[in-house]
Amino acid sequence: MIKLFAANWKMHKTQAEAKQTAEDLVRLSAALPPGREVLVIPPFTALSATMAGIGGAGRFHTGAQNFYPATHGAFTGEISPAMLLDTGATFALTGHSERRHVLGELDAFVGQKTAFGLAAGLKVILCVGEKIEERKAGQLAEVLTRQIRLGLADVPKDVVPEDISLAYEPVWAIGTGLVAGPAEILEAHVLVRKLLEEIFGAPARRMRILYGGSVKPDNAAEIIALDNVDGVLVGGASLKADDFSRIVLA
Ligand code: PGA
């Protein structure tokens, strides 16, 4: 399985900053090992600039942090999958914890978006993960089961497995410096794989499961080597090309 190294820039970077960071990243990652690819996920306004910075470098892709599940219409402030594809973006996130917990997106809406984005031709990364109080209450399995079942409810069973990835991002590890330990990551990723197999059968083994939450240059190698970890989704440590290139080369 090709490992995916994704940079989620969140609400950071102007067009000029995005282009420069993308250019630097491509240059610093020239020795990208085989079997790896890189995805940069800037704000909408910097998608084209990021694409320009990548300059056609092989195995580098762009993606969006969000989209609305409709082709067009009266949805003030929203962006359609076709508009993203038009910038050259090929991936998009759904269900990121900040969309769920800051912007109030519910499981059913995340599911609607995931299915719509895939049908529209995007590769979708569905993000799931438990809050600290849910973990403490022993609800890890319950939360992941709900988020995955509802998040994938409308995805056709014959979806191209490479088009859908899951990102396990424990909410308590996002932007906090608290990385999940190897045992916690292994446990969650086995559970995610099992749920995917229940839904899709054997092709689920070809779906990537990424880990996200305080991935840094000094812990990336250990995380990426774990069973069932097919990539990483990186926030804070992806903003500087120097840091993120050390992660993609780790
Ligand atoms: P972080 O964010 O790497 O800053 O913890 C990860 C994410 O939100 O995708």
Side-chain angles (χ1 to χ4, degrees):
M1 192 132 52
I2 295 175
K3 300 220 186 219
L4 181 64
F5 291 73
N8 176 10
W9 285 351
K10 308 192 179 184
M11 200 169 74
H12 294 281
K13 296 191 189 292
T14 61
Q15 297 185 65
E17 289 164 350
K19 181 165 184 278
Q20 186 64 57
T21 309
E23 270 170 23
D24 293 346
L25 180 63
V26 168
R27 179 172 41 81
L28 294 169
S29 311
L32 186 67
R36 295 187 178 195
E37 58 184 352
V38 179
L39 168 63
V40 183
I41 311 173
F44 295 136
T45 47
L47 274 167
S48 296
T50 303
M51 199 67 185
I54 286 173
R59 293 191 284 149
F60 282 74
H61 314 280
T62 58
Q65 298 170 20
N66 186 35
F67 60 87
Y68 192 78
T71 53
H72 59 275
F75 303 106
T76 301
E78 296 298 325
I79 303 271
S80 74
M83 293 168 181
L84 299 175
L85 290 161
D86 187 44
T87 70
T90 44
F91 285 78
L93 301 178
T94 57
H96 189 278
S97 73
E98 288 145 22
R99 304 277 336 156
R100 293 178 191 269
H101 304 305
V102 183
L103 283 306
E105 289 192 11
L106 301 177
D107 291 316
F109 185 54
V110 172
Q112 206 187 324
K113 287 166 73 164
T114 303
F116 192 92
L118 286 164
L122 288 166
K123 294 181 202 297
V124 175
I125 302 173
L126 168 64
C127 307
V128 298
E130 81 290 4
K131 295 196 263 189
I132 191 64
E133 56 271 26
E134 293 167 330
R135 170 164 283 268
K136 285 188 179 151
Q139 293 167 344
L140 173 70
E142 189 184 323
V143 171
L144 295 186
T145 303
R146 190 193 72 236
Q147 291 181 342
I148 290 175
R149 289 206 171 281
L150 295 177
L152 298 173
D154 296 326
V155 174
K157 300 292 171 263
D158 61 351
V159 65
V160 176
E162 287 75 15
D163 284 356
I164 177 96
S165 304
L166 268 281
Y168 170 63
E169 299 201 297
V171 180
W172 48 272
I174 296 181
T176 57
L178 288 176
V179 65
E184 290 164 324
I185 298 176
L186 284 169
E187 181 197 12
H189 282 230
V190 164
L191 193 59
V192 172
R193 184 75 68 200
K194 188 173 134 278
L195 287 161
L196 289 174
E197 283 178 2
E198 281 170 19
I199 300 169
F200 297 105
R205 283 175 226 143
R206 286 156 52 203
M207 295 176 177
R208 290 188 280 210
I209 306 175
L210 318 182
Y211 169 77
S214 296
V215 175
K216 307 279 180 232
D218 62 358
N219 61 23
E222 184 191 12
I223 293 171
I224 200 76
L226 294 170
D227 267 0
N228 280 312
V229 175
D230 309 307
V232 283
L233 178 54
V234 187
S238 74
L239 291 171
K240 291 196 181 125
D242 182 41
D243 290 341
F244 193 56
S245 66
R246 284 158 60 211
I247 293 174
V248 310
L249 299 175

